Amino acid sequence: MQANTLTPQKLFEPQVRYVIPVFQRPYVWQVEKQWEPLWADVRAVSEELLDSQLGGKTAEVPPHFMGAVVLDQQPNPAGFIQVRHVIDGQQRLITLQLLLNAARQVAEKHGRPRDAALLKALVRNPEHIIDEPDELLKVWPIQADRTAFQNAMDDDPENDSSEHRVSKAIVFLRERIEAWALDAEDEREPADRLRALTMALALHLKLVVIDLEPGDNAQAIFEALNDRGSPLLAADLVKNAVFQAAERQKQDTELLDREYWDALSGDYWRFELRQGRLVRPRIDVFLNYWLTMRRAHLVPSDRIFADFRDHVLAGADDVRPVLSELKADAACYRQLSEQPPHSTPGTFYYRIIEVMDIAATMPLLLWLQRPNSAVPTEARDRALRAVESWLVRRMICRVTLADTNSVVVELLRHLKQAAPADVGSECERFLAEQSGDSRRWPLDNEVISSLSRIRFYSIMIPRRRGRMILEALEDSYRTSHTEETHCRRGELTIEHVLPQTWQTHWALPDDDKSAEAERNHRVQTLGNLTLLTSRLNPLVSNYPWTRQDSGEGPRGKREALNEHSVLMLNKHLIDAHPQNWSDADIDRRTRALAEQVVRIWPRPAN
């Protein structure tokens, strides 16, 4: 390879096209990390030029280095515009072109036609030598950025109104340039400032341009490089490898990009998701789940690309089946959170993925929900209910969930060997056979014992998880004759029947410290909790169970709960306890609800 240091004038003035291959990622540069620092650098050089011009020392202004770009010369017939593929540095080239065109537009608007013409020569090829419209612009981005880039590079700033990051970039740069050029507090003329800016952009920025030679491995070079401030995602490396393979297979990469990879492009896929202490783009998260599902093998997040390259792409004579599979599974992944909310998959997603935040089950959910899956609906639902029960019971019994990743991968491997119709029963059998504290499926008596013993409303059972269990209990008491067969998930409020501050209206008969400690513990148990459609007034929440003083005192807690009797938990509570709510009542209700919990999340008998 050969390296040269070039100014934008040297890089862009020849009749040339820098084509960004389809395997490259979309435009991702941002205000704080890239646009603002770049403009600050350009402004500083421009102001140095202004100062030096007054003293006649323009040549002494040092250049600003923008970094490197890696180019791959493409064969083209004599007399045609030269074409180079951009192997690395496409973010930099696109931003530089936007900066040049923003300066051109401002120069034209404020009466600097000479500067505008010089800048125009750096962003457009002469119209009389082009054969196709896409040959007009010096830089040609990938499909995902193309429309916004073409609008940004035309003569009408009104076209830059979209939410695309390219559109936002040129608006930002144009506004900064115009504000600087027309600075009322600066005694120098706008014409002088625009002239200095033009010279800074054309002659005082420098890039290290690396031209690959025949035999250089463009893919290996791409994998080894990162852009300034924007590290390559695993998905960027995967896309690069797939489309490099497609080129070797003489495939139409533009067509493959439109038909397949476009479904994995856009802001949705680059949105960052929090996973524990890490934040990762959704596209990388999906690829991690997809590879784990496909291989039934744990794939570390830092091995996504290597695993894809070595175990999916290696030996693929045609990349189209791989891309087709990725596209279909990506669409399935997007729909996982949009299942009918009370279907078995929808319930699993809400309880396990959203509330319990056990993302380790996603590869299994994705496999069971895949398009054209041979697993019958009944078997799929049976498997999901089994996994949900296994996890909920383990949470209630407060045993570690740390080994969930390994169990899910082994379960996937096991289910892939089973007949599709047997997936549900095999899932139950596999989980029931697990042993050891980190894997076993707790028995009914263990779940009931734990619920009877633990402070349910505490850090032992996080608030959202506790509400989810109460929601499931509420739904279990509803029937087809109930006005609504399901309660509103995630919207109801947990209420203590015997209040946490019970001393005023619920005093114990004697000043017994041990009885007080027992009461404080009992107040937090499952049997003393219910759900409300809205939070009670704090004063009402602390009322006695029934109205005192022959009906003249404050109304009772039972009366307040009756206003929420649309919920079956409250209806049962009110009907069963017309006069009193005692510590013994709490214990009995805890036992009854615990027995209902093991019916909601059953476990096959050993």
Side-chain angles (χ1 to χ4, degrees):
M1 63 180 72
Q2 297 180 345
N4 296 286
T5 302
L6 301 180
T7 64
Q9 189 174 51
K10 292 287 187 181
L11 183 64
F12 294 124
E13 201 168 53
Q15 297 165 9
V16 66
R17 294 179 69 226
Y18 297 105
V19 176
I20 299 172
V22 295
F23 60 74
Q24 296 279 20
R25 59 179 165 180
Y27 186 67
V28 298
W29 274 20
Q30 306 172 37
V31 175
E32 295 85 358
K33 293 183 178 179
Q34 288 92 16
W35 305 340
E36 190 73 73
L38 175 59
W39 166 243
D41 292 338
V42 171
R43 182 184 61 206
V45 173
S46 301
E47 289 177 349
E48 281 194 62
L49 281 171
L50 273 172
D51 294 339
S52 66
Q53 284 170 0
L54 296 176
K57 299 179 181 179
T58 304
E60 296 181 6
V61 175
H64 171 71
F65 281 89
M66 286 189 63
V69 294
V70 180
L71 306 174
D72 192 11
Q73 173 74 52
Q74 301 299 299
N76 61 291
F80 284 73
I81 296 174
Q82 294 181 55
V83 176
R84 286 180 169 84
H85 280 180
V86 182
I87 303 304
D88 190 66
Q90 79 276 10
Q91 308 285 327
R92 193 168 287 111
L93 284 186
I94 288 176
T95 308
L96 182 53
Q97 282 286 294
L98 295 173
L99 180 58
L100 291 166
N101 204 52
R104 177 185 72 84
Q105 291 174 340
V106 174
E108 286 183 347
K109 179 179 178 180
H110 295 284
R112 294 294 302 171
R114 182 177 176 183
D115 293 328
L118 190 156
L119 292 167
K120 183 176 182 178
L122 302 184
V123 297
R124 297 186 189 178
N125 288 310
E127 294 187 17
H128 68 275
I129 67 165
I130 66 174
D131 293 321
E132 301 293 337
D134 59 8
E135 295 179 337
L136 178 64
L137 298 178
K138 300 279 187 178
V139 172
W140 192 241
I142 64 171
Q143 187 72 36
D145 299 329
R146 199 165 291 166
T147 299
F149 186 76
Q150 287 176 293
N151 289 337
M153 299 303 292
D154 66 14
D155 299 321
D156 187 1
E158 296 299 319
N159 289 335
D160 306 320
S161 58
S162 81
E163 289 299 306
H164 196 286
R165 199 164 289 186
V166 165
S167 302
K168 291 181 178 180
I170 195 165
V171 169
F172 170 86
L173 294 168
R174 190 166 53 231
E175 288 176 351
R176 290 295 190 275
I177 291 169
E178 192 163 31
W180 176 79
L182 303 181
D183 186 356
E185 297 181 3
D186 194 307
E187 60 185 17
R188 292 167 292 194
E189 293 294 323
D192 294 333
R193 296 170 74 81
L194 287 171
R195 180 60 180 165
L197 175 63
T198 300
M199 291 300 98
L201 291 174
L203 301 174
H204 289 269
L205 300 182
K206 290 198 173 181
L207 298 96
V208 176
V209 179
I210 301 170
D211 284 299
L212 302 186
E213 297 177 341
D216 287 340
N217 189 328
Q219 180 179 346
I221 291 170
F222 175 86
E223 293 169 12
L225 294 172
N226 283 337
D227 273 341
R228 168 187 174 182
S230 295
L232 294 172
L233 307 183
D236 298 326
L237 296 171
V238 166
K239 183 182 180 184
N240 166 59
V242 169
F243 282 88
Q244 290 276 9
E247 284 187 347
R248 292 193 296 272
Q249 296 166 10
K250 309 301 182 185
Q251 305 267 9
D252 183 339
T253 53
E254 287 277 352
L255 180 63
L256 294 180
D257 189 41
R258 288 195 303 272
E259 288 194 356
Y260 298 110
W261 198 268
D262 188 58
L264 287 96
S265 301
D267 291 341
Y268 171 85
W269 289 107
R270 288 191 172 256
F271 182 80
E272 292 188 331
L273 302 176
R274 179 167 294 279
Q275 291 191 304
R277 290 173 294 177
L278 301 177
V279 175
R280 300 168 59 203
R282 183 181 273 120
I283 181 66
D284 282 5
V285 172
F286 162 69
L287 284 173
N288 207 162
Y289 295 150
W290 186 81
L291 285 165
T292 300
M293 171 203 70
R294 199 175 189 270
R295 296 192 58 221
H297 183 82
L298 285 175
V299 179
S301 58
D302 61 351
R303 289 281 303 168
I304 293 172
F305 167 64
D307 208 86
F308 183 94
R309 179 194 60 205
D310 298 342
H311 299 284
V312 177
L313 199 58
D317 297 328
D318 188 342
V319 299
R320 286 174 296 184
V322 174
L323 286 171
S324 178
E325 184 181 353
L326 262 177
K327 178 182 177 181
D329 288 333
C332 175
Y333 173 80
R334 290 192 70 156
Q335 294 167 4
L336 290 179
S337 62
E338 300 170 4
Q339 300 294 313
H342 300 292
S343 65
T344 300
T347 296
F348 183 92
Y349 190 91
Y350 169 70
R351 292 174 177 170
I352 303 304
I353 305 299
E354 289 188 357
V355 175
M356 293 183 64
D357 194 25
I358 305 179
T361 59
M362 283 292 282
L364 174 66
L365 181 59
L366 185 59
W367 181 74
L368 289 168
Q369 291 283 99
R370 291 185 91 183
N372 304 316
S373 171
V375 179
T377 301
E378 183 179 350
R380 176 204 68 190
D381 290 353
R382 186 174 175 182
L384 289 175
R385 285 193 295 267
V387 175
E388 183 181 318
S389 171
W390 177 69
L391 289 167
V392 171
R393 283 176 173 240
R394 291 184 63 77
M395 174 191 71
I396 290 170
C397 292
R398 302 184 61 231
V399 290
T400 179
L401 297 170
D403 209 23
T404 304
N405 276 305
S406 298
V407 174
V408 168
V409 166
E410 291 174 30
L411 175 59
L412 260 173
R413 203 174 298 142
H414 178 77
L415 296 182
K416 286 186 175 187
Q417 303 302 316
D422 296 334
V423 160
S425 58
E426 284 298 310
C427 183
E428 289 179 351
R429 186 172 70 82
F430 177 88
L431 293 174
E433 289 176 351
Q434 298 304 302
S435 60
D437 289 342
S438 65
R439 290 171 167 254
R440 58 189 301 273
W441 194 350
L443 301 171
D444 290 1
N445 65 308
E446 295 174 281
V447 175
I448 293 170
S449 174
S450 181
L451 285 174
S452 300
R453 186 179 65 254
I454 65 172
R455 294 166 60 94
F456 189 85
Y457 190 84
S458 69
I459 59 173
M460 292 182 181
I461 302 289
R463 193 76 49 86
R464 291 184 70 211
R465 296 183 181 187
R467 181 174 60 188
M468 179 266 288
I469 291 174
L470 288 166
E471 289 168 347
L473 284 164
E474 170 66 25
D475 284 351
S476 74
Y477 292 130
R478 298 191 180 199
T479 68
S480 58
H481 302 296
T482 313
E483 185 176 345
E484 294 180 359
T485 55
H486 298 279
C487 64
R488 300 195 302 273
R489 287 174 173 168
E491 298 181 18
L492 301 177
T493 300
I494 299 177
E495 174 70 14
H496 292 75
V497 182
L498 193 159
Q500 297 185 84
T501 52
W502 49 266
Q503 289 81 358
T504 302
H505 296 295
W506 303 72
L508 290 165
D510 301 308
D511 186 17
D512 185 339
K513 294 299 182 183
S514 63
E516 185 176 327
E518 288 178 12
R519 165 72 64 85
N520 286 332
H521 177 89
R522 187 173 282 112
V523 162
Q524 308 296 348
T525 58
L526 177 60
N528 191 49
L529 302 175
T530 189
L531 293 171
L532 301 179
T533 53
S534 60
R535 189 178 298 277
L536 288 182
N537 179 295
L539 185 63
V540 176
S541 182
N542 292 328
Y543 280 167
W545 182 242
T546 55
R547 189 184 295 271
Q548 305 295 304
D549 302 327
S550 302
E552 296 179 2
R555 68 174 181 152
K557 183 74 171 280
R558 183 178 182 275
E559 184 181 340
L561 290 177
N562 192 45
E563 296 174 2
H564 297 263
S565 60
V566 65
L567 298 174
M568 299 305 294
L569 281 171
N570 296 330
K571 181 173 174 53
H572 290 171
L573 187 63
I574 291 163
D575 291 348
H577 302 278
Q579 300 298 327
N580 189 41
W581 179 249
S582 67
D583 293 62
D585 292 327
I586 292 174
D587 291 344
R588 282 190 289 270
R589 185 169 180 264
T590 295
R591 176 76 188 194
L593 293 180
E595 290 174 351
Q596 185 70 356
V597 163
V598 298
R599 287 190 285 270
I600 294 169
W601 288 288
R603 179 200 191 282
N606 281 349

